[in-house]
Amino acid sequence: MLKKIFDFFVFTSLFIATCAVLMVYQASLLFDVSFSLPLYAFVFFGSVCSYNFHWFLTPPDVPATSYKMRWNLSNRNLHLVLALIGAVGAGVCCILLLKHWVWLALTAFFTFLYSAPMIQHPLFTWLRRIAVGKTIYLAAAWTHVTSFLPLVISLKSLSAVHVWYVVNRFFFLYAICIVFDRRDVESDRRAGIRSLITYFSAAGIDRLFWFSTAVTAITSYLLTRWLAPLDVVILLLPALIMALLYQSSKQSKSDYLYYFLLDGLMALSAPILILAKFAR
């Protein structure tokens, strides 16, 4: 029973949506900005909708090469129900945040485009062939929803620290996305999905990962001009853990490594920051 509950939490969007909300709250802590409850709810329900919509669109004839893939393919109706619940929840939040409708509409469109290539229609399938798109796009979508969007609709203007923070989060998330897409590189090539990961050799993918990790470290150092050094160290910690796990991730296809541990790294700094703030 516990395993079923754990699988449901990890393999649907509930874990991802929780991580997204924590990442938004992280920005609130770092910049001492109060985000509204409807904004947190929009991020949560939007994540539920997007994730489950994506898995619902996954063709049933895709090779079930992992336990997670088999779980998702056998629970497509559940993904549809959760996607609809997420859509309704996000829609209600949009009404509550109506004055920011432009940013919310752009966010919804931006997020939809990631799953659009899964729709079996020529209008959308051509998106699979856009060069260098998939990995960069996913990292940009996550960065937009969890870092840029909360700041841009809550502040009158963004300063240099906010811009560097968004850049830092993008390269951190991009490094994690590289690990996921490196694992799926062969299936993406067969599906005709083009990205830097499908274009590069194994050595090229390694260099891309370490470049992203290096930029994360450099921009973390730049953030010490504005943020407390301890807060920056906490921000950098998940990237360091990811770097330590990188080589071993090449030999493992464990669903729990990728969809629990690595996904969890995205939001790991948030609970540590919460504990650090309470300890001060």
Side-chain angles (χ1 to χ4, degrees), residues 128-136 174 177-178 180-202 204-206 208:
R128 299 175 187 176
R129 300 187 177 275
I130 295 179
V132 306
K134 179 188 174 188
T135 316
I136 293 174
Y174 187 45
C177 291
I178 288 170
F180 275 88
D181 282 358
R182 182 197 50 75
R183 182 199 59 173
D184 299 331
V185 64
E186 293 304 325
S187 60
D188 282 350
R189 284 171 178 161
R190 288 194 299 269
I193 297 173
R194 300 179 64 189
S195 70
L196 287 177
I197 309 306
T198 60
Y199 178 77
F200 285 154
S201 64
I205 295 172
D206 288 346
L208 186 62

Side-chain angles (χ1 to χ4, degrees), residues 3 12 15 23 45 66 69 75-76 84 107 124 133 147 154 159 165 173 185 211 244 249 253 260 278:
K3 184 178 185 300
T12 63
F15 181 67
M23 293 163 75
F45 284 112
S66 68
M69 182 63 75
N75 287 275
R76 294 181 76 244
L84 292 174
T107 300
F124 299 107
S147 301
S154 301
S159 62
Y165 175 73
L173 292 170
V185 64
F211 170 78
L244 293 173
S249 72
K253 293 186 179 294
F260 185 70
F278 278 111

Side-chain angles (χ1 to χ4, degrees), residues 27 39 54 63 141 145 165:
L39 175 60
H54 186 84
V145 171
Y165 175 73

Side-chain angles (χ1 to χ4, degrees), residues 9-10 12-26 40 43-45 47-48 142 146 263-264 266-268 270-271:
F9 182 68
V10 172
T12 63
S13 58
L14 300 183
F15 181 67
I16 287 291
T18 301
C19 288
V21 170
L22 284 171
M23 293 163 75
V24 173
Y25 187 60
Q26 172 177 279
Y40 286 108
V43 171
F44 181 86
F45 284 112
S47 299
V48 169
W142 267 94
T146 61
D263 274 346
M266 296 190 301
L268 177 63

Side-chain angles (χ1 to χ4, degrees), residues 101-275:
W101 71 269
V102 173
W103 283 113
L104 298 180
L106 287 173
T107 300
F109 179 70
F110 193 45
T111 306
F112 168 75
L113 281 182
Y114 179 72
S115 298
M118 306 285 288
I119 300 174
Q120 299 301 312
H121 189 282
L123 182 63
F124 299 107
T125 53
W126 71 271
L127 292 171
R128 299 175 187 176
R129 300 187 177 275
I130 295 179
V132 306
K134 179 188 174 188
T135 316
I136 293 174
Y137 195 92
L138 180 59
W142 267 94
T143 304
H144 173 83
V145 171
T146 61
S147 301
F148 180 76
L149 177 68
L151 292 172
V152 78
I153 71 173
S154 301
L155 300 174
K156 293 182 179 179
S157 62
L158 301 185
S159 62
V161 62
H162 304 124
V163 173
W164 282 117
Y165 175 73
V166 171
V167 173
N168 176 270
R169 293 297 87 190
F170 169 78
F171 281 99
F172 166 60
L173 292 170
Y174 187 45
I176 292 180
C177 291
I178 288 170
V179 176
F180 275 88
D181 282 358
R182 182 197 50 75
R183 182 199 59 173
D184 299 331
V185 64
E186 293 304 325
S187 60
D188 282 350
R189 284 171 178 161
R190 288 194 299 269
I193 297 173
R194 300 179 64 189
S195 70
L196 287 177
I197 309 306
T198 60
Y199 178 77
F200 285 154
S201 64
I205 295 172
D206 288 346
R207 286 192 290 269
L208 186 62
F209 172 82
W210 292 115
F211 170 78
S212 299
T213 303
V215 175
T216 302
I218 292 169
T219 52
S220 295
Y221 174 74
L222 292 176
L223 286 172
T224 59
R225 293 181 56 187
W226 300 280
L227 303 178
L230 178 59
D231 290 347
V232 176
V233 170
I234 293 173
L235 275 182
L236 186 59
L237 179 61
L240 297 177
I241 296 174
M242 181 68 259
L244 293 173
L245 291 174
Y246 181 65
Q247 292 301 325
S248 60
S249 72
K250 295 180 181 181
Q251 283 77 48
S252 174
K253 293 186 179 294
S254 169
D255 291 326
Y256 298 112
L257 168 67
Y258 282 89
Y259 295 101
F260 185 70
L261 180 57
L262 297 188
D263 274 346
L265 284 178
M266 296 190 301
L268 177 63
S269 52
I272 300 177
L273 277 171
I274 293 171
L275 292 175

